[in-house]
């Protein structure tokens, strides 16, 4: 089973600050997907295929990485970005999610 | 607009069974893979099972293999999860999800249904 480790577990960012969330895989994966989950809501696909933004995702978000190391970057933090972000690998079964990064507003 | 509506959750005793349903609309159900993903209270996301568009291929995580069965009725645009021999660790919100534009990636999710396994 491929284990995904997300860091940091929790972080707080100020409006306008650049934010980078990380996802480290225990084995190489072909690409990474990211989900945003706000409190009390269902997860939403946010970034797919490592770097493609899902519909409606602001272009201040970006994704990058390869092999075992992937990241989600917010170029300029906004209040609406407060949420928990999860990475997901589909390269091998069982599909696995990272433990999540909770992003708060400072 | 893609809509997925789960139902069938509730409180059940350990060892008993429960069947979840997911009614789909807004897309051609028979063309897309479907998935069940769960989230224990205050915890992260966990993939449970997936099924191919035709229903001919199914995939499960080890902890539910032999206890859970994913199935679909393409004529009714409905996905199912039969859960037998339930354990306390199966307590979670269960989400159904469908592929995003045929990529195989769970792209559209329902609102979720709560399953509580407790005596």
């Amino acid at each position: 089973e491929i284990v995904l480790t997300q860091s940091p577990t929790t972080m707080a960012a100020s409006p306008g600050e650049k934010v980078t969330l990380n996802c480290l895989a225990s084995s190489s994966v072909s690409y990474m997907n990211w989900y945003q989950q706000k409190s009390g809501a269902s997860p939403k696909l946010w970034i797919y295929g490592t770097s493609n933004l899902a519909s409606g995702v602001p272009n201040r978000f970006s994704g990058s990485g390869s092999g075992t190391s992937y990241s989600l970057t917010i170029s300029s933090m906004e209040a609406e970005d407060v949420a928990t972000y999860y990475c997901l690998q589909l390269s091998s079964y069982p599909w696995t999610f990272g433990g999540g990064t909770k992003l708060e507003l400072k | 607009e893609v809509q997925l509506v789960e139902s069938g959750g509730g409180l059940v005793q350990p060892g008993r069974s429960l069947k979840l349903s997911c009614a789909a609309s807004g897309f051609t159900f028979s063309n897309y893979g479907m998935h069940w993903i769960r989230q224990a209270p205050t915890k992260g996301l966990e993939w449970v099972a997936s099924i191919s568009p035709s229903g001919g291929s199914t995939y499960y995580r080890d902890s539910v293999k032999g206890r859970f069965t994913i199935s679909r009725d393409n004529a009714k645009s409905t996905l199912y999860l039969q859960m037998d021999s339930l354990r306390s660790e199966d307590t979670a919100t269960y989400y159904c999800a469908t592929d995003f534009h045929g990529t195989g990636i769970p792209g559209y999710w329902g609102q979720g249904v709560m399953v509580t396994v407790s005596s």
Side-chain angles (χ1 to χ4, degrees):
Chain A
E1 173 176 325
I2 296 177
V3 176
L4 301 183
T5 302
Q6 289 189 244
S7 62
T9 304
T10 306
M11 73 171 294
S14 302
E17 183 179 346
K18 182 179 180 179
V19 172
T20 299
L21 311 183
N22 301 297
C23 180
L24 189 66
S26 60
S27 300
S28 182
V29 298
S30 300
Y31 58 88
M32 192 62 69
N33 308 291
W34 295 86
Y35 293 81
Q36 180 197 68
Q37 186 177 32
K38 294 196 173 184
S39 181
S42 303
K44 292 182 178 179
L45 180 63
W46 213 241
I47 295 175
Y48 65 97
T50 300
S51 59
N52 302 291
L53 302 186
S55 303
V57 175
N59 60 15
R60 62 180 178 276
F61 284 85
S62 64
S64 64
S66 65
T68 60
S69 183
Y70 294 84
S71 62
L72 178 158
T73 300
I74 307 172
S75 60
S76 179
M77 175 74 180
E78 294 195 11
E80 67 176 13
D81 301 335
V82 169
T84 300
Y85 294 85
Y86 294 93
C87 52
L88 166 67
Q89 69 81 21
L90 305 180
S91 290
S92 67
Y93 287 105
W95 293 352
T96 48
F97 289 89
T101 292
K102 186 175 183 179
L103 180 59
E104 300 171 332
L105 193 65
K106 193 183 294 181
Chain B
E1 179 192 2
V2 173
Q3 282 205 316
L4 300 168
V5 180
E6 302 95 336
S7 61
L11 173 64
V12 61
Q13 293 179 328
R16 303 298 291 265
S17 299
L18 205 61
K19 186 172 186 176
L20 305 182
S21 299
C22 172
S25 61
F27 65 104
T28 305
F29 182 75
S30 59
N31 286 353
Y32 295 94
M34 297 293 295
H35 318 279
W36 286 102
I37 295 158
R38 67 186 179 185
Q39 186 170 34
T42 72
K43 300 296 184 183
L45 300 167
E46 183 175 77
W47 169 78
V48 175
S50 295
I51 188 167
S52 63
S54 68
S57 296
T58 56
Y59 310 87
Y60 300 91
R61 68 178 303 102
D62 283 350
S63 61
V64 308
K65 209 172 289 183
R67 299 189 299 121
F68 289 12
T69 303
I70 188 172
S71 63
R72 63 192 297 161
D73 185 334
N74 285 345
K76 295 183 177 179
S77 296
T78 303
L79 174 72
Y80 302 101
L81 186 67
Q82 175 68 44
M83 303 185 293
D84 299 323
S85 303
L86 281 161
R87 306 168 180 168
S88 57
E89 55 263 37
D90 297 319
T91 294
T93 295
Y94 285 73
Y95 297 99
C96 73
T98 187
D99 287 349
F100 177 70
H101 295 181
T103 61
I105 303 167
Y108 302 97
W109 296 50
Q111 84 287 351
V113 63
M114 184 68 199
V115 172
T116 303
V117 184
S118 175
S119 54

